[in-house]
Amino acid sequence: MAGVDAGSAVAAGPHPAIDDFLAHLEVERRASAHTLDAYRRDLQALAHWAEGQGGSGLLELQSLQLRAFVADEHRRGLSPKSLQRRLSGCRSFYQWQLKHGRIAANPATGVRAPKASRKLPQVLDADEAVALVEVPTDAPLGLRDRALLELFYSSGLRLAELRNLRWRELDLADGLVTVTGKGNKQRSVPVGSHACRALAAWRADTGAAADAPVFPGRGGGPISARAVQLRLRLLAQRQGLFKRVHPHLLRHSFASHMLESSGDLRGVQELLGHADIATTQIYTHLDFQHLAKVYDAAHPRAKRRAKE
């Protein structure tokens, strides 16, 4: 494949196979400069490692050598998450070379990075959640803010689901909302009584039509994601909460509190719209973490003795 001009995000280098692959990403896949830089760094790291193993070329490496590369990078201090990204780049690179007949097999197939520990999401406790949602309704935009916060926490919606919601998708009489989630899948989620009252007051104030966005932005379309994020941060500070409050924190809090109260993992999965229950299972870890803290604080023989 022909190279690209000097002004391109793909820089000339000593590895023609890398340059050709990056040119393909830039020209045919229209990858961003940031993506190209990431691929370049990862592939050049592999090329540099290969040269130190006796001058092996990138296109001559085998699976065992790729595994050795991953192990060396891990010993050097690269995190599992960074290694996963690096291996992903290598797989794409070799798959492209395989497609063009330059290698007989993809050596990165089947090579895995060390498993990354999963970071547990932060949540608000029940008192903090109540303090957040009970914003004064007589403040400017108070009715809207109360409705928005109550719905977030009541139904565990994603930010995109809340932004795109129309009044016709809310059934306040029966306390239900129908949202379109990931993969264009629809689900119905209960809406709590506090949220229903807040939403009814907000609609009465606006007189919005059935097809109008529940939370409109300045131009009449759905409110922007950035506007919601900034508003939540401001409202949290006004309510005396100094955690990093963001839309997904309310979804996490909803899920954690529901699981803590019900113990019904499948039910929480349905409410959240998770395709895979493994995604929902992270909240069982949060629930256990909470129970462990209660145990440590309450059980007379739970605390370890201080070292003498």
Side-chain angles (χ1 to χ4, degrees), residues 27-65:
V27 175
E28 297 181 24
R29 302 280 295 276
R30 300 196 179 280
S32 68
H34 176 77
T35 298
L36 293 169
D37 285 342
Y39 273 106
R40 183 187 299 107
R41 283 194 302 272
D42 292 340
L43 293 171
Q44 286 181 344
L46 177 60
H48 179 73
W49 178 88
E51 289 167 4
Q53 304 301 305
S56 299
L58 274 177
L59 301 187
E60 286 79 48
L61 292 178
Q62 303 297 313
S63 291
L64 281 176
Q65 292 167 299

Side-chain angles (χ1 to χ4, degrees), residues 146-147 150-151 154-155 167 170-177 189-203:
R146 174 72 73 89
E150 289 279 15
L151 183 57
S154 163
S155 305
W167 283 110
L170 272 166
D171 183 346
L172 298 182
D174 288 336
L176 284 174
V177 60
V189 186
V191 182
S193 59
H194 290 282
C196 285
R197 284 195 293 272
L199 286 159
W202 169 232
R203 188 172 191 185

Side-chain angles (χ1 to χ4, degrees), residues 15-22 58-59 93 96-97 102:
H15 303 290
I18 295 177
D19 292 341
D20 284 353
F21 175 65
L22 293 176
L58 274 177
L59 301 187
F93 168 76
W96 188 77
Q97 304 296 340
R102 298 178 181 180

Side-chain angles (χ1 to χ4, degrees), residues 211-255:
D211 202 46
V214 176
F215 302 107
R218 289 183 179 178
I223 190 172
S224 72
R226 186 63 176 158
V228 176
Q229 291 161 351
L230 291 174
R231 193 64 179 170
L232 257 61
R233 189 183 307 170
L234 176 64
L235 292 171
Q237 291 172 353
R238 286 182 180 174
Q239 296 299 95
L241 297 176
F242 295 98
K243 286 184 176 178
R244 181 177 168 267
V245 175
H246 51 87
H248 223 63
L249 179 66
L250 285 172
R251 181 170 158 87
H252 288 322
S253 301
F254 160 84

Side-chain angles (χ1 to χ4, degrees), residues 61-89:
L61 292 178
Q62 303 297 313
S63 291
L64 281 176
Q65 292 167 299
L66 261 293
R67 289 189 173 90
F69 167 67
V70 169
D72 283 352
E73 292 289 89
H74 190 43
R75 281 192 291 269
R76 193 171 62 83
L78 208 64
S79 71
K81 187 174 181 180
S82 295
L83 281 171
Q84 287 169 0
R85 188 207 67 231
R86 186 157 287 184
L87 264 175
S88 176

Side-chain angles (χ1 to χ4, degrees), residues 82-200:
S82 295
L83 281 171
Q84 287 169 0
R85 188 207 67 231
R86 186 157 287 184
L87 264 175
S88 176
C90 291
R91 286 191 200 98
S92 297
F93 168 76
Y94 283 116
Q95 194 61 35
W96 188 77
Q97 304 296 340
L98 178 64
K99 180 181 177 182
H100 288 79
R102 298 178 181 180
I103 55 175
N106 185 337
T109 300
V111 179
R112 297 287 180 263
K115 192 171 183 179
S117 58
R118 194 167 187 183
K119 187 177 179 182
L120 295 180
Q122 275 198 332
V123 297
L124 299 172
D125 64 34
D127 290 338
E128 289 172 328
V130 170
L132 175 62
V133 301
E134 290 187 344
V135 294
T137 54
D138 57 353
L141 293 176
L143 289 173
R144 186 205 67 177
D145 291 341
R146 174 72 73 89
L148 185 148
L149 289 167
E150 289 279 15
L151 183 57
F152 254 143
Y153 180 54
S154 163
S155 305
L157 304 187
R158 297 180 177 96
L159 174 56
E161 293 168 349
L162 181 131
R163 286 184 55 242
N164 294 322
L165 192 63
R166 305 278 169 167
W167 283 110
R168 56 180 161 74
E169 295 162 331
L170 272 166
D171 183 346
L172 298 182
D174 288 336
L176 284 174
V177 60
T178 301
V179 295
T180 303
K182 290 184 177 179
N184 211 31
K185 293 181 179 177
Q186 283 195 337
R187 71 183 190 281
S188 292
V189 186
V191 182
S193 59
H194 290 282
C196 285
R197 284 195 293 272
L199 286 159

